[in-house]
Amino acid sequence: MDQGICNGPRGFIFDLDGTLANSMPVHLAAWQAVGEQYGFEYSEEDLNRYAGMSGGEIVRIINEKQNLELDPDEITNQKEARFLENIHKVEPIKPVMRLLARYANQVPVSVGTGSFRRVALQILEAIGLSDSVELLVTADDVDKHKPDPDTFLKCAELMNVSPEECLVFEDAELGFQAAKNAGMQYIDVRKFY
């Protein structure tokens, strides 16, 4: 695999939640706490299904499926606040971090995430990458989120690498779909941990 990576792609794009950061359990707990407060259900299956989507999009789906009229901004803000209260529980996913460290000086590297910038920056800080990641695309930077390709296409643009020469490291189905939609190769990082 290493040889293929060195000889093939000219730019690496890393997802953040579930790829570089073991943040998914903390996200789940935050969604469930807010769900308890506002009267909606949110399961681990929901977490996996919607991984990569913006919070507002997730709330719209919750409204539709559970026949509710929750305010997407209010729920997203509440969920983010709960998540940030427990950000100290987020740990790096070491095998993927090692991969990033190994290739960061060989090819351009960026991070493309469905998290809002203020949250993504705190996650990067929690896992020790706040000084290492220069190219970051967040939910604030694109209009359409995963599975749309915009996040990864913006990463490619920032790295000045054509989409077909990018390799995406992802852990979620919507991220895989976004990479495909962008014309990029991808690797499911779950095989590393």
Side-chain angles (χ1 to χ4, degrees):
M1 177 186 134
D2 289 347
Q3 192 168 2
I5 289 174
C6 287
N7 295 333
R10 292 189 48 241
F12 285 178
I13 302 171
F14 288 83
D15 172 50
L16 183 56
D17 292 291
T19 298
L20 290 168
N22 186 15
S23 53
M24 299 313 272
V26 183
H27 280 295
L28 179 61
W31 275 115
Q32 289 178 335
V34 174
E36 211 171 286
Q37 181 181 348
Y38 286 85
F40 66 86
E41 307 246 334
Y42 197 86
S43 67
E44 189 169 350
E45 186 179 286
D46 293 327
L47 180 76
N48 294 329
R49 182 180 301 123
Y50 308 136
M53 279 188 185
S54 71
E57 291 169 326
I58 292 170
V59 175
R60 283 187 271 287
I61 291 170
I62 290 169
N63 280 339
E64 186 179 312
K65 289 192 170 201
Q66 298 182 36
N67 199 26
L68 298 169
E69 293 182 9
L70 302 166
D71 180 283
D73 290 334
E74 180 182 345
I75 299 300
T76 300
N77 289 337
Q78 290 291 326
K79 183 266 172 182
E80 281 182 7
R82 296 285 182 122
F83 176 80
L84 292 174
E85 285 171 11
N86 292 292
I87 199 156
H88 61 280
K89 296 178 181 176
V90 175
E91 296 181 355
I93 297 177
K94 291 181 181 173
V96 183
M97 294 279 284
R98 282 194 293 272
L99 193 64
L100 176 114
R102 180 172 181 178
Y103 293 104
N105 295 326
Q106 296 179 34
V107 296
V109 171
S110 61
V111 172
T113 178
S115 290
F116 290 107
R117 182 166 293 273
R118 69 180 182 272
V119 176
L121 290 172
Q122 291 187 58
I123 295 170
L124 288 170
E125 186 173 332
I127 62 172
L129 280 181
S130 56
D131 294 331
S132 307
V133 174
E134 292 178 22
L135 303 178
L136 173 66
V137 177
T138 69
D140 298 307
D141 303 311
V142 294
D143 292 327
K144 295 179 179 175
H145 307 98
K146 301 172 189 175
D148 286 292
D150 297 23
T151 298
F152 293 152
L153 290 173
K154 182 79 172 169
C155 286
E157 181 185 320
L158 291 174
M159 294 188 300
N160 199 25
V161 176
S162 65
E164 60 274 8
E165 294 179 300
C166 292
L167 179 62
V168 175
F169 294 85
E170 254 290 355
D171 69 303
E173 201 55 49
L174 292 177
F176 305 149
Q177 193 61 50
K180 287 182 206 172
N181 291 339
M184 299 176 179
Q185 299 174 51
Y186 66 90
I187 290 179
D188 182 347
V189 299
R190 294 172 297 185
K191 62 176 121 182
F192 298 135
Y193 58 85

